[in-house]
């Protein structure tokens, strides 16, 4: 069933792909390789994994990409090039092939129907548990882990955090840290289409089946989003948080980042935030790659992790 509701740019945030950056290809890049993991039930998570590019191996980064159905395979070597001393694991939602270049608005109907935050959480939890078992079975070195959420991917971080051994912190890339419903309302207000957002709220609260389509997503997706907690779990969580966003982000309004920054107030664990001036949702701006700047901060932290995840931003 498809319900006709006027599409708006305000809601493009929820169907956009993950943040990407295509900087120069490193000549000595260590390639990513397939690392399939079990999801919930019979599903498979088509993950990618890469060893450290430079010795010594100091830490491990687990990445939860943003929305959409394109894989990170075509850009992974360049995107994560700055993580020199880190092993990198990139998860993909079931139904997303790592090499897929599918535009966000052209995702297959079965993927759109299956795409819900609650389902993605269960698949990601299963994958992380399997990864931890695999590492334990192989007797692999215990390493500090960082959990990185790109845009929509950040919404899963508090739930996934307890499943990551030796977790040293969470990294929010282009995520306000607010509950997604609140962030969406602020974006709608920014673009003057709050009526569309309110209409969607009424629609998801109604009795139409989850399979009903609205604004490029199923009502099941919107129902999960409307009730999805992020702000409180982040505020109350025991993990250090590093948050980075672009000052010219067209998909998340400045008001959302400003409001999200208040999550740090009164928090027990450290929270540090940095805006990349003039950068877009992918942290890109003329002459500057903010993603590689973020990785440089993580590399600085990894050289002396006892100083804390926020130490590089305080220098």
């Amino acid at each position: 069933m498809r319900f006709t509701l006027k599409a708006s740019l305000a809601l493009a945030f929820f169907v956009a792909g993950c943040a990407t950056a295509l900087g120069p290809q490193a000549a000595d890049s260590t390639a990513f390789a397939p690392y399939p993991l079990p999801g919930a039930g019979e599903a498979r998570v088509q993950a990618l994994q890469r060893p450290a590019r430079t010795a010594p191996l100091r830490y491990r980064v687990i990445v939860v990409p943003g929305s959409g159905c394109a894989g990170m395979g075509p850009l992974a070597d360049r995107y994560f090039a700055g993580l020199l001393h880190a092993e990198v694991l990139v998860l993909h939602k079931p139904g997303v092939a790592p090499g897929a270049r599918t535009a966000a608005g052209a995702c297959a109907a079965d993927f759109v129907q299956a795409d819900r935050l609650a389902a993605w959480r269960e698949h990601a939890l299963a994958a992380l548990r399997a990864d931890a078992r695999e590492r334990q079975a192989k007797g692999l070195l215990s390493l500090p882990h960082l959990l990185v959420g790109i845009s929509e991917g950040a919404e899963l971080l508090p739930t996934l955090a307890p499943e990551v051994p030796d977790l040293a912190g969470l990294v929010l890339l282009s995520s306000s840290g607010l509950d997604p419903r609140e962030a969406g309302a602020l974006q709608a207000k920014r673009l003057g289409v709050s009526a569309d957002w309110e209409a969607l709220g009424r629609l998801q609260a109604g009795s139409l089946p989850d399979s009903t389509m609205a604004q490029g997503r199923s009502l099941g997706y919107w129902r999960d989003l409307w009730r999805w907690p992020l702000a409180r779990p982040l505020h109350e969580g025991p993990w250090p948080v590093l948050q980075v966003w672009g000052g010219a982000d067209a998909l998340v309004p400045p008001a959302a980042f400003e409001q999200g920054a208040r999550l740090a107030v009164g928090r027990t664990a450290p929270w540090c935030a940095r805006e990349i001036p003039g950068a877009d949702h992918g942290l890109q701006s003329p002459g500057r790659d903010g993603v590689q700047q973020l990785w440089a901060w993580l590399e600085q932290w990894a050289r002396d992790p006892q100083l804390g995840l926020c130490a590089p931003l305080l220098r």
Side-chain angles (χ1 to χ4, degrees):
M1 179 183 296
R2 178 176 295 275
F3 183 88
T4 302
L5 181 64
K6 177 184 173 185
S8 68
L9 290 176
L11 307 191
F13 169 77
F14 296 103
V15 294
C18 65
T20 59
L22 296 178
Q25 176 67 56
D28 61 344
S29 174
T30 302
F32 278 82
Y35 182 57
L37 292 165
E42 300 299 318
R44 301 292 289 177
V45 172
Q46 299 301 318
L48 295 171
Q49 186 164 245
R50 188 212 74 180
R53 295 182 60 218
T54 304
L57 170 62
R58 291 180 172 141
Y59 63 115
R60 191 166 186 248
V61 174
I62 299 176
V63 181
V64 186
S67 61
C69 50
M72 294 200 75
L75 57 100
D77 288 326
R78 287 176 286 180
Y79 190 88
F80 298 107
L83 292 172
L84 300 175
H85 296 274
E87 181 180 285
V88 183
L89 170 64
V90 181
L91 304 180
H92 289 98
K93 293 178 182 179
V96 175
R101 298 175 182 267
T102 312
C107 297
D110 57 349
F111 172 83
V112 174
Q113 285 295 324
D115 186 20
R116 298 182 61 158
L117 289 171
W120 181 206
R121 174 188 60 200
E122 296 309 306
H123 296 310
L125 284 170
L128 289 180
R129 289 166 183 157
D131 172 66
R133 289 194 301 268
E134 179 79 4
R135 291 180 63 81
Q136 184 177 33
K138 291 182 176 180
L140 295 177
L141 179 68
S142 177
L143 293 168
H145 279 61
L146 294 176
L147 193 54
V148 176
I150 302 175
S151 191
E152 183 196 66
E155 290 160 17
L156 271 63
L157 298 193
T159 301
L160 302 183
E163 301 299 329
V164 179
D166 304 303
L167 182 63
L170 309 182
V171 179
L172 278 60
L173 195 165
S174 297
S175 167
S176 68
L178 298 178
D179 292 352
R181 175 185 176 182
E182 188 172 4
L186 289 171
Q187 174 70 340
K189 181 179 180 180
R190 176 197 199 185
L191 297 181
V193 290
S194 294
D196 289 345
W197 188 253
E198 292 164 3
L200 183 58
R202 291 190 297 271
L203 185 63
Q204 65 82 31
S207 59
L208 290 172
D210 284 350
S211 58
T212 304
M213 295 294 295
Q215 295 282 6
R217 298 282 196 177
S218 71
L219 280 189
Y221 176 89
W222 294 119
R223 285 168 176 150
D224 279 5
L225 181 143
W226 235 255
R227 298 157 182 80
W228 198 263
L230 179 60
R232 183 172 180 176
L234 281 177
H235 177 78
E236 296 179 351
W239 332 276
V241 173
L242 192 163
Q243 179 188 27
V244 179
W245 71 89
D249 192 325
L251 301 181
V252 185
F257 289 118
E258 292 166 5
Q259 195 161 319
R262 298 179 195 137
L263 296 173
V265 178
R267 193 173 188 268
T268 302
W271 182 305
C272 47
R274 179 65 58 87
E275 175 188 334
I276 307 290
D280 61 16
H281 192 63
L283 300 188
Q284 303 304 296
S285 59
R288 185 176 186 184
D289 183 343
V291 172
Q292 301 311 313
Q293 176 62 72
L294 171 58
W295 302 154
W297 286 326
L298 299 190
E299 286 286 304
Q300 292 173 40
W301 160 79
R303 287 197 292 270
D304 206 357
Q306 66 268 24
L307 294 180
L309 185 59
C310 291
L313 273 66
L314 300 176
R315 292 171 183 166

